[in-house]
Amino acid sequence: MASASGGSSGIGTETARVLALRGASVELAVRNTEAGEAAKAAIVKAIEGKIGAEAGRSAPVGERVSVMALDLASLKSVRAFAADYLRLNRPLHVLVNNAGVMLCPFMLTADGYENQFGTNHVGHFLLTNLLLPKLKETAQQEAAETRIVLVSSMGHKLAYPGGHSV
């Protein structure tokens, strides 16, 4: 099982598509669940029937790709996502921290962080820490390695000139 934040567009959707193509079950962790469902449908359409017997999995690709709400700009949402995921009692082999915002106007998150920093760093930090016990448990129970993948960009070069003090 893999979870990819920002799975409703761009690199997140492509990551989820390739993981599903290779036979993985994938959770699209998205801020907008309607966009997440559209991404899921596109992933299913793109790979259905293109892999032999669904890469040996018994469940069709449409059952292996799912969508859950996650707004990384809200620590309350991050906690709720992690609690909901853990309640499902599924293994977690790969956590892809991909979602992010950039070049957005200055604003603060509900938790008081600058939006880009809060979303791209603080939200993923909390998410990783909340799901780390599940990653460790999965590795131990399955005698297999698990992964945390951090996706980044060169967006830091476009930061506010001179910084910002609050």
Side-chain angles (χ1 to χ4, degrees):
M1 182 67 175
S3 179
S5 67
S8 62
S9 64
I11 294 170
T13 300
E14 184 61 11
T15 299
R17 184 190 69 79
V18 172
L19 287 167
L21 180 66
R22 302 291 183 250
S25 295
V26 183
E27 186 70 58
L28 303 178
V30 300
R31 182 177 52 217
N32 179 333
T33 55
E34 287 181 23
E37 291 294 342
K40 173 186 173 177
I43 290 168
V44 170
K45 183 178 179 184
I47 67 175
E48 215 164 31
K50 290 191 178 181
I51 50 180
E54 296 293 335
R57 301 289 179 145
S58 57
V61 67
E63 294 175 20
R64 289 188 288 108
V65 179
S66 53
V67 176
M68 286 179 67
L70 170 64
D71 181 356
L72 289 161
S74 164
L75 300 183
K76 180 179 178 181
S77 175
V78 173
R79 286 183 180 95
F81 173 87
D84 290 346
Y85 187 89
L86 295 173
R87 226 180 332 272
L88 295 171
N89 200 30
R90 294 188 295 204
L92 183 58
H93 301 94
V94 181
L95 175 63
V96 182
N97 290 330
N98 164 71
V101 297
M102 63 184 259
L103 299 176
C104 48
F106 178 80
M107 60 188 283
L108 299 177
T109 67
D111 303 291
Y113 296 101
E114 185 274 330
N115 190 51
Q116 190 163 313
F117 177 72
T119 302
N120 299 355
H121 300 284
V122 178
H124 278 131
F125 178 81
L126 179 60
L127 179 66
T128 300
N129 277 278
L130 293 172
L131 294 179
L132 189 57
K134 178 52 83 173
L135 285 157
K136 289 179 178 181
E137 175 187 299
T138 299
Q140 185 177 26
Q141 288 179 347
E142 299 184 16
E145 294 182 357
T146 57
R147 296 277 186 263
I148 300 168
V149 180
L150 305 172
V151 179
S152 65
S153 73
M154 298 295 288
H156 66 281
K157 294 184 180 259
L158 304 171
Y160 305 113
H164 183 80
S165 60
V166 184

